[in-house]
Amino acid sequence: MTPLSQLLPGQYGKLTSLNPERSVDQRLMALGLLPGMVLKLVRKAPLGDPLAIEFAGQVVSLRLTEAQTIIIDVAADCPIQRPRPQA
Amino acid sequence: MSAAEQGLTVALVGNPNTGKSTLFNALTGLRQRVGNYPGVTVARKSGQCDCGDGTKVELIDLPGLYSLSAASPDEQVVIDALSGHLAEDRRPDAVVVVIDATNLLRNLFLASQLSELDLPVVLVLNQADVATEQGLKINTELLSRRLGGIPVVLTSAWKGEGIAAVRRAIGEALRARVRMPAVEWPSLVAEALADVAAGVAADIGRAPGRADVERLLFDSTSSVGQRLGWAAPRRDVVIRAARDKVRRAGYNPLAAEPLIHYERLRKLLEGVVQGGGNRTGGSAAVDQVLLHRVLGPVVFAGIMLGMFAAVFWLAKFPMQWISGGVDALKLGVAPLLDGMPMLQSLVTDGMIGGVGAFLAFLPQILILFLFVSILEDSGYMARAAFIMDRLFSWCGLNGKSFVPLLSGFACAIPGILSTRTIEDPKARLATAFAVPFMSCSARFPVYALMCAAFIGPLYGPGWESVVMVGMHCVGLLFAVPTAFVLTRFVLKVKPQPFVLELPRYQMPKPRDVLWRMWQNAAEFVSRAGTVIFAITIIVWALSYFPRDPAVEQRIRATSVGVAPEVVDAQVQSAYVEQSWMGRFGKSVQPIFDPCGFDWKITVGVLASFPAREVIVSTLGVTYSVGEGAEADSKHLQQVMRAAKWTEGPRVGTPIFSLAAILALMVFFALCSQCGPTVATLAQETGGWKWAAISFVYMTALAWLMAVAVYQGVSRLA
Ligand SMILES: Nc1nc2c(ncn2[C@@H]2O[C@H](COP(=O)(O)OP(=O)(O)O)[C@@H](O)[C@H]2O)c(=O)[nH]1
Ligand SMILES: [Mg+2]
């Protein structure tokens, strides 16, 4: 149970909870980021903020403050979930 | 009678960046803006589309959006348009949902929400070329069947592939009127929706649409209640009870909608898409370099420097050609009107000058938009925003504010126009408001004149550069706190989350880039151009009338034996002195007295409200040096150095003291002295309110700071 803001670049895990009250989280849910989904912290911007996260085959940027309440279950052996089977 | 005359309308909807505008252009032939960036389409764009069988429909290009929850004004527009609640539009007869074929699941979420609107739907899977490249095979027939038989078309809008099929599909949708099946809600959620619907019907006496009910139940803040006239206490009671029901079904009411839709879509897409590997791989490799901790900012700085240099220096050449052409035209036309001095002056100084005044901005606009289009269409703009966001987020702006602010250092007009790339309305407005503070190239001649005439000779070239650099920072110094206050305390617009898609990199299409340049230039000329033209004519009239020939006769009679150009300059000066502008300048001089400006400077300041660079030539006229003085005119510099107060408490002391020249430069650094900027602000903020606020605020600030500098420096010195 780690806040997304504390992940290291390259780390990934399952989304355990976000805060549906916030408009940021509502936007992320509309983009398909739902509990149980695997997401990866791709990198941090050169100044450390915002973050680039990858889920469902798309890369999205998110500010550090907004990533603090997005909780991830970091699982090193968990493959990145893709909506389609890999060829 | 054609269908368009009967008023059949079809709306284009979809996620940002899917190719709606490209498809719109292909279908209507009426080309318009193409952007590779969420939120580019803000205005309502419409055109006529032929359905292939002679039926014509009006096609509307709606803003891109990810979901129907009305978080932003763009989303609100789409909801209102599709449910028929926009004042100027009827409800469309069908919707074309444009989808990125490489990301069906995410794109179909919006389509799934739209199914609740009960409109015939055509599904367009665009960017098929990229899907093929990625090895994706999409079974459109299966998808169509699972979606209740709605037409599903695969297209490559920018190659023009599949366009004819889209036309036919629109015709078919209008004829057969097949709907996409609605979601099957879990029974408790369905009950909750029914409760809300019943509550609305009971209170306002009319059954609401399905989509409206869903917005009421699922969105934390929704303007639907307000629109329906469903008032607060009753509404809140009903909705709270309904949300409790959703909770009993095991869903957070605010998360229920995406969870249930995505669940549905995942099942629906089973077996529809085959193949496909790493979709973000190629771009990820490029990002390794372009977003690298060290290389990223270096490349970024290089690109931005190149862009700035192009807008600042490269544009100078075509600008010179334009002003050369305008001057040649004046010289060519003037003899035709000899003997009619008033008409001659109106045509040459007023009308031709007025056209020249806005044409002069075109090179900078075109060059900036060349860069902006390439940056957007290639996918780099989102990365630029990603790199810069940290520097801007604290004052309520975001990473996308950088390009507009930077180009503001060359010219505010293209800078303000480029704020269109910012989708957050709050940050967009605050950025547009801050851009005119940047020290544009038109301020340069003022600084150059003052430095060359005073700072250099008195304090040496070292101080000249210090003052030059300092003046370029003054605007920035005030712009940042202004943006902070504006976003924090003044603007009531809800801020948008900075959730920015980093799209895949793509080679920009020269045709799209050129089209975007042309569109922006054309829009600027047609909208701001007329205002600029009008302002120029008005200022011309104010400094031309009244024109009593006796003034000229008196001067010519008393100056026998004086060189003719000296006499001409004196006549010019005398005419301006007794024109409305001159009289006005003299009467408001007391206001500018605390800044250390005499009436001649005051006239110059007033005359340069339409365009600040005019100050140099106006000072040339009021100081009797003659028309057409430039910043490097040694004569003007000499006259200014010699100018002394002839009355008042400062009589005998130089007008251009250190305090006065610093005050004058600070005034020009901050004052809103640019008609085109004000007109462009009005164009881009959708009305004169913010343009007026900007004008008053900047001008008042400029005066205050000029007073502070003059009083401060004269006490110290
Ligand atoms: N590869 C590919 N790119 C496309 C296609 N259609 C549009 N684009 C590009 O996708 C980007 C977004 O297009 P645009 O029409 O502005 O999308 P909108 O935001 O939905 O209006 C632009 O860079 C287009 O050139 C297509 O069929 N294939
Ligand atoms: Mg568009």
Side-chain angles (χ1 to χ4, degrees), chain B residues 17-76:
Chain B
N17 256 344
T18 48
K20 285 181 305 304
S21 301
T22 311
L23 182 69
F24 174 79
N25 295 332
L27 286 172
T28 59
L30 187 159
R31 299 288 319 264
Q32 47 121 21
R33 283 161 64 79
V34 183
N36 191 33
Y37 214 67
V40 170
T41 318
V42 178
R44 173 188 188 272
K45 302 256 157 89
S46 72
Q48 211 184 50
C49 165
D50 193 322
C51 299
D53 54 1
T55 332
K56 293 205 170 55
V57 297
E58 193 192 15
L59 200 63
I60 302 171
D61 185 15
L62 288 172
L65 76 174
Y66 293 108
S67 97
L68 282 189
S69 57
S72 77
D74 281 3
E75 292 172 355
Q76 191 63 52

Coordinates of all heavy atoms in Angstrom, one line a residue, chain B residues 17-76:
Chain B
N17 N -8.0 14.5 -29.8 CA -6.9 13.8 -30.5 C -7.3 12.6 -31.3 O -6.4 11.9 -31.8 CB -5.9 13.3 -29.5 CG -4.7 14.2 -29.5 OD1 -4.5 15.0 -30.4 ND2 -3.9 14.1 -28.5
T18 N -8.6 12.4 -31.5 CA -8.9 11.2 -32.3 C -8.9 11.4 -33.8 O -8.9 10.5 -34.5 CB -10.3 10.6 -31.8 OG1 -11.2 11.7 -31.8 CG2 -10.2 10.0 -30.4
G19 N -9.0 12.7 -34.1 CA -9.1 13.0 -35.6 C -10.4 13.6 -36.0 O -10.8 13.6 -37.1
K20 N -11.2 14.1 -35.0 CA -12.5 14.7 -35.3 C -12.4 15.8 -36.3 O -13.1 15.8 -37.3 CB -13.2 15.2 -34.1 CG -13.8 14.3 -33.2 CD -14.4 14.9 -32.0 CE -13.5 15.9 -31.3 NZ -12.2 15.3 -30.8
S21 N -11.5 16.7 -36.1 CA -11.4 17.9 -36.9 C -10.9 17.5 -38.3 O -11.4 18.0 -39.3 CB -10.4 18.9 -36.3 OG -10.9 19.3 -35.1
T22 N -10.0 16.5 -38.3 CA -9.5 16.0 -39.6 C -10.6 15.4 -40.4 O -10.8 15.6 -41.6 CB -8.3 15.0 -39.4 OG1 -7.4 15.5 -38.5 CG2 -7.6 14.7 -40.7
L23 N -11.4 14.6 -39.7 CA -12.6 13.9 -40.4 C -13.6 15.0 -40.8 O -14.1 14.9 -41.9 CB -13.2 13.0 -39.4 CG -14.4 12.2 -40.0 CD1 -13.9 11.2 -41.0 CD2 -15.2 11.4 -38.9
F24 N -13.8 16.0 -40.0 CA -14.7 17.1 -40.3 C -14.3 17.8 -41.6 O -15.1 18.0 -42.4 CB -14.7 18.0 -39.1 CG -15.6 19.3 -39.3 CD1 -16.9 19.2 -39.2 CD2 -14.9 20.5 -39.7 CE1 -17.7 20.4 -39.5 CE2 -15.7 21.6 -39.9 CZ -17.1 21.6 -39.8
N25 N -13.0 18.0 -41.7 CA -12.5 18.7 -42.9 C -12.7 17.8 -44.1 O -13.1 18.3 -45.2 CB -11.0 19.0 -42.7 CG -10.8 20.1 -41.6 OD1 -11.7 20.9 -41.3 ND2 -9.7 20.0 -41.0
A26 N -12.4 16.5 -43.9 CA -12.6 15.6 -45.1 C -14.0 15.5 -45.5 O -14.3 15.4 -46.7 CB -12.0 14.2 -44.7
L27 N -14.9 15.6 -44.5 CA -16.4 15.4 -44.9 C -17.0 16.7 -45.4 O -17.9 16.6 -46.3 CB -17.1 15.0 -43.6 CG -17.0 13.5 -43.2 CD1 -17.6 13.3 -41.8 CD2 -17.5 12.6 -44.2
T28 N -16.5 17.8 -45.0 CA -17.2 19.1 -45.4 C -16.4 19.8 -46.5 O -16.9 20.6 -47.1 CB -17.3 20.0 -44.2 OG1 -16.0 20.3 -43.7 CG2 -18.2 19.4 -43.1
G29 N -15.1 19.4 -46.6 CA -14.3 20.2 -47.6 C -14.0 21.5 -47.1 O -13.2 22.3 -47.6
L30 N -14.6 21.9 -46.0 CA -14.4 23.3 -45.4 C -13.3 23.1 -44.3 O -13.6 22.7 -43.2 CB -15.7 23.7 -44.8 CG -15.9 25.1 -44.2 CD1 -17.4 25.4 -44.2 CD2 -15.3 25.3 -42.9
R31 N -12.1 23.2 -44.8 CA -11.0 22.9 -43.9 C -10.9 23.9 -42.7 O -11.2 25.0 -42.8 CB -9.6 22.9 -44.6 CG -9.5 22.0 -45.7 CD -9.4 20.5 -45.2 NE -8.5 20.4 -44.1 CZ -7.2 20.1 -44.2 NH1 -6.7 19.9 -45.3 NH2 -6.5 20.1 -43.1
Q32 N -10.4 23.4 -41.6 CA -10.3 24.2 -40.4 C -9.1 23.7 -39.5 O -8.4 22.9 -39.9 CB -11.6 24.4 -39.6 CG -12.3 23.1 -39.4 CD -12.5 22.8 -37.9 OE1 -12.5 23.7 -37.1 NE2 -12.7 21.6 -37.6
R33 N -9.0 24.3 -38.3 CA -7.9 23.9 -37.5 C -7.7 22.4 -37.2 O -8.7 21.7 -37.0 CB -8.1 24.5 -36.1 CG -7.8 26.0 -36.0 CD -8.5 26.6 -34.8 NE -7.9 26.0 -33.6 CZ -6.7 26.4 -33.1 NH1 -6.0 27.3 -33.7 NH2 -6.3 25.9 -32.0
V34 N -6.5 22.0 -37.3 CA -6.2 20.6 -37.0 C -5.1 20.6 -35.9 O -4.1 21.2 -36.0 CB -5.6 19.8 -38.2 CG1 -5.4 18.4 -37.8 CG2 -6.6 19.9 -39.4
G35 N -5.4 20.0 -34.7 CA -4.4 20.1 -33.7 C -4.2 18.7 -33.2 O -5.0 17.8 -33.2
N36 N -3.0 18.5 -32.7 CA -2.6 17.1 -32.1 C -2.7 17.2 -30.6 O -1.9 16.6 -29.9 CB -1.2 16.8 -32.6 CG -0.9 15.3 -32.2 OD1 -1.8 14.5 -32.3 ND2 0.3 15.0 -31.9
Y37 N -3.7 17.9 -30.1 CA -3.6 18.2 -28.7 C -5.0 18.3 -28.1 O -5.9 18.9 -28.7 CB -2.8 19.4 -28.4 CG -2.1 19.3 -27.2 CD1 -1.1 18.4 -27.1 CD2 -2.5 20.0 -26.1 CE1 -0.4 18.2 -25.9 CE2 -1.8 19.8 -24.9 CZ -0.8 18.9 -24.8 OH -0.2 18.8 -23.6
P38 N -5.2 17.7 -26.9 CA -6.6 17.8 -26.3 C -7.0 19.2 -26.2 O -6.2 20.1 -25.9 CB -6.4 17.2 -24.9 CG -5.2 16.4 -25.0 CD -4.3 16.9 -26.1
G39 N -8.2 19.5 -26.5 CA -8.8 20.8 -26.3 C -8.6 21.8 -27.3 O -8.9 23.0 -27.1
V40 N -8.0 21.5 -28.5 CA -7.8 22.5 -29.5 C -9.1 23.0 -30.0 O -9.3 24.2 -30.3 CB -7.0 21.9 -30.6 CG1 -7.0 22.9 -31.8 CG2 -5.6 21.7 -30.2
T41 N -10.1 22.1 -30.2 CA -11.4 22.5 -30.7 C -12.2 23.1 -29.6 O -12.7 22.4 -28.7 CB -12.1 21.3 -31.3 OG1 -11.2 20.6 -32.1 CG2 -13.2 21.8 -32.2
V42 N -12.4 24.4 -29.6 CA -13.2 25.0 -28.5 C -14.5 25.6 -29.1 O -15.6 25.4 -28.6 CB -12.5 26.0 -27.7 CG1 -13.4 26.6 -26.7 CG2 -11.3 25.4 -27.1
A43 N -14.3 26.3 -30.2 CA -15.5 27.0 -30.8 C -16.4 26.0 -31.5 O -15.9 24.9 -31.8 CB -15.0 28.0 -31.8
R44 N -17.5 26.4 -31.8 CA -18.4 25.5 -32.6 C -18.1 25.7 -34.1 O -18.1 26.8 -34.6 CB -19.9 25.9 -32.4 CG -20.9 25.3 -33.3 CD -22.2 26.0 -33.1 NE -23.3 25.2 -33.7 CZ -23.7 25.5 -35.0 NH1 -23.0 26.3 -35.7 NH2 -24.7 24.8 -35.5
K45 N -17.7 24.6 -34.7 CA -17.4 24.6 -36.1 C -18.4 23.8 -36.9 O -18.7 22.7 -36.5 CB -16.0 24.0 -36.4 CG -14.9 24.7 -35.6 CD -14.1 25.6 -36.5 CE -13.4 26.7 -35.8 NZ -12.0 26.4 -35.3
S46 N -19.0 24.4 -37.9 CA -19.9 23.6 -38.7 C -19.7 23.7 -40.2 O -19.1 24.7 -40.6 CB -21.3 24.0 -38.3 OG -21.6 25.2 -38.9
G47 N -20.2 22.7 -40.9 CA -20.0 22.8 -42.4 C -21.0 21.8 -43.0 O -21.7 21.0 -42.3
Q48 N -21.2 21.9 -44.3 CA -22.2 21.0 -44.9 C -21.5 19.7 -45.4 O -20.5 19.8 -46.0 CB -22.8 21.8 -46.1 CG -24.2 21.3 -46.3 CD -24.8 22.0 -47.5 OE1 -24.2 22.0 -48.6 NE2 -26.0 22.6 -47.4
C49 N -22.2 18.7 -45.2 CA -21.7 17.4 -45.5 C -22.7 16.6 -46.4 O -23.9 16.6 -46.1 CB -21.4 16.5 -44.3 SG -21.2 14.8 -44.6
D50 N -22.2 16.1 -47.5 CA -23.0 15.4 -48.5 C -23.0 13.9 -48.1 O -21.9 13.3 -47.9 CB -22.5 15.6 -49.9 CG -23.4 15.1 -50.9 OD1 -24.1 14.1 -50.7 OD2 -23.5 15.8 -52.0
C51 N -24.1 13.3 -47.9 CA -24.2 11.9 -47.5 C -24.0 10.9 -48.7 O -24.2 9.7 -48.5 CB -25.4 11.5 -46.8 SG -25.6 12.5 -45.3
G52 N -23.6 11.4 -49.8 CA -23.3 10.5 -50.9 C -24.5 10.3 -51.8 O -24.3 10.0 -53.0
D53 N -25.7 10.5 -51.3 CA -26.9 10.2 -52.1 C -27.6 11.5 -52.4 O -28.8 11.5 -52.6 CB -27.8 9.2 -51.3 CG -28.1 9.7 -49.9 OD1 -27.6 10.8 -49.6 OD2 -28.8 9.0 -49.2
G54 N -26.9 12.6 -52.2 CA -27.6 13.9 -52.5 C -28.1 14.5 -51.2 O -28.4 15.7 -51.2
T55 N -28.3 13.7 -50.2 CA -28.8 14.3 -48.9 C -27.7 15.2 -48.3 O -26.5 14.7 -48.3 CB -29.1 13.2 -47.9 OG1 -29.5 12.0 -48.5 CG2 -30.1 13.7 -46.9
K56 N -28.0 16.3 -47.9 CA -27.0 17.2 -47.2 C -27.4 17.4 -45.8 O -28.5 17.7 -45.5 CB -26.9 18.5 -48.0 CG -26.4 18.4 -49.4 CD -25.7 19.6 -49.9 CE -25.0 19.5 -51.2 NZ -25.9 18.9 -52.3
V57 N -26.4 17.3 -44.9 CA -26.6 17.6 -43.5 C -25.6 18.6 -43.0 O -24.6 18.8 -43.6 CB -26.5 16.3 -42.7 CG1 -27.5 15.3 -43.1 CG2 -25.1 15.8 -42.7
E58 N -26.0 19.3 -41.9 CA -25.1 20.2 -41.3 C -24.3 19.4 -40.3 O -24.8 18.8 -39.4 CB -25.8 21.4 -40.6 CG -24.9 22.5 -40.3 CD -25.5 23.5 -39.3 OE1 -26.6 23.3 -38.8 OE2 -24.9 24.6 -39.2
L59 N -23.0 19.5 -40.5 CA -22.1 18.7 -39.6 C -21.5 19.7 -38.5 O -21.0 20.8 -38.9 CB -21.0 18.1 -40.4 CG -20.2 16.9 -39.8 CD1 -21.2 15.7 -39.6 CD2 -19.1 16.5 -40.8
I60 N -21.5 19.3 -37.3 CA -20.9 20.2 -36.2 C -19.8 19.5 -35.6 O -19.9 18.3 -35.2 CB -22.0 20.5 -35.1 CG1 -23.2 21.2 -35.8 CG2 -21.4 21.4 -34.1 CD1 -24.4 21.3 -34.9
D61 N -18.6 20.2 -35.5 CA -17.4 19.6 -34.8 C -17.4 20.1 -33.4 O -17.2 21.2 -33.1 CB -16.2 20.1 -35.6 CG -14.9 19.5 -35.1 OD1 -15.0 18.5 -34.4 OD2 -13.8 20.1 -35.4
L62 N -17.7 19.1 -32.5 CA -17.8 19.5 -31.1 C -16.5 19.4 -30.4 O -15.6 18.7 -30.9 CB -18.9 18.6 -30.4 CG -20.3 18.9 -30.7 CD1 -21.2 17.9 -30.1 CD2 -20.7 20.3 -30.2
P63 N -16.3 20.0 -29.3 CA -15.0 19.9 -28.5 C -14.7 18.5 -28.1 O -15.7 17.7 -27.9 CB -15.2 20.8 -27.3 CG -16.3 21.6 -27.5 CD -17.2 21.0 -28.6
G64 N -13.5 18.1 -28.1 CA -13.1 16.8 -27.6 C -13.3 16.6 -26.1 O -13.1 17.6 -25.4
L65 N -13.7 15.4 -25.7 CA -13.9 15.2 -24.3 C -13.8 13.7 -24.0 O -13.9 12.9 -24.8 CB -15.2 15.8 -23.8 CG -16.5 15.0 -24.1 CD1 -17.7 15.7 -23.5 CD2 -16.8 15.0 -25.6
Y66 N -13.5 13.4 -22.7 CA -13.3 12.1 -22.3 C -14.5 11.5 -21.7 O -14.7 10.3 -21.7 CB -12.1 11.9 -21.3 CG -10.8 12.3 -21.9 CD1 -10.1 13.4 -21.6 CD2 -10.2 11.4 -22.8 CE1 -8.9 13.7 -22.1 CE2 -8.9 11.7 -23.3 CZ -8.3 12.8 -23.0 OH -7.1 13.1 -23.6
S67 N -15.3 12.3 -21.1 CA -16.5 11.8 -20.5 C -17.6 12.9 -20.4 O -17.3 14.0 -20.6 CB -16.2 11.2 -19.0 OG -16.6 12.2 -18.1
L68 N -18.8 12.5 -20.1 CA -19.9 13.4 -20.1 C -20.0 14.2 -18.8 O -20.8 15.1 -18.7 CB -21.2 12.7 -20.4 CG -21.5 12.4 -21.8 CD1 -22.9 11.9 -22.0 CD2 -21.3 13.5 -22.8
S69 N -19.3 13.7 -17.7 CA -19.4 14.4 -16.5 C -18.8 15.9 -16.7 O -17.7 16.0 -17.0 CB -18.6 13.7 -15.4 OG -17.3 13.6 -15.8
A70 N -19.7 16.8 -16.5 CA -19.4 18.2 -17.0 C -18.3 18.9 -16.1 O -18.6 19.7 -15.3 CB -20.7 19.0 -17.0
A71 N -17.1 18.4 -16.2 CA -16.1 19.0 -15.4 C -15.6 20.3 -16.0 O -15.2 21.2 -15.3 CB -14.9 18.1 -15.2
S72 N -15.6 20.4 -17.3 CA -15.1 21.6 -17.9 C -16.2 22.3 -18.8 O -17.2 21.6 -19.2 CB -13.9 21.3 -18.8 OG -14.3 20.7 -20.0
P73 N -16.0 23.6 -19.2 CA -16.9 24.2 -20.0 C -17.1 23.5 -21.4 O -18.2 23.4 -21.9 CB -16.3 25.6 -20.3 CG -15.4 25.8 -19.1 CD -14.9 24.5 -18.7
D74 N -16.0 22.9 -21.9 CA -16.0 22.2 -23.1 C -17.0 21.0 -23.0 O -17.8 20.7 -23.9 CB -14.7 21.6 -23.5 CG -13.8 22.6 -24.1 OD1 -14.2 23.8 -24.2 OD2 -12.7 22.3 -24.5
E75 N -16.9 20.3 -21.9 CA -17.8 19.1 -21.7 C -19.2 19.6 -21.6 O -20.1 18.9 -22.1 CB -17.3 18.3 -20.5 CG -16.0 17.6 -20.7 CD -15.4 17.0 -19.4 OE1 -16.1 17.2 -18.3 OE2 -14.4 16.4 -19.5
Q76 N -19.4 20.7 -20.9 CA -20.7 21.2 -20.7 C -21.4 21.5 -22.1 O -22.5 21.2 -22.3 CB -20.7 22.5 -19.8 CG -22.0 23.0 -19.4 CD -22.7 21.9 -18.5 OE1 -22.1 21.5 -17.5 NE2 -23.9 21.6 -18.8

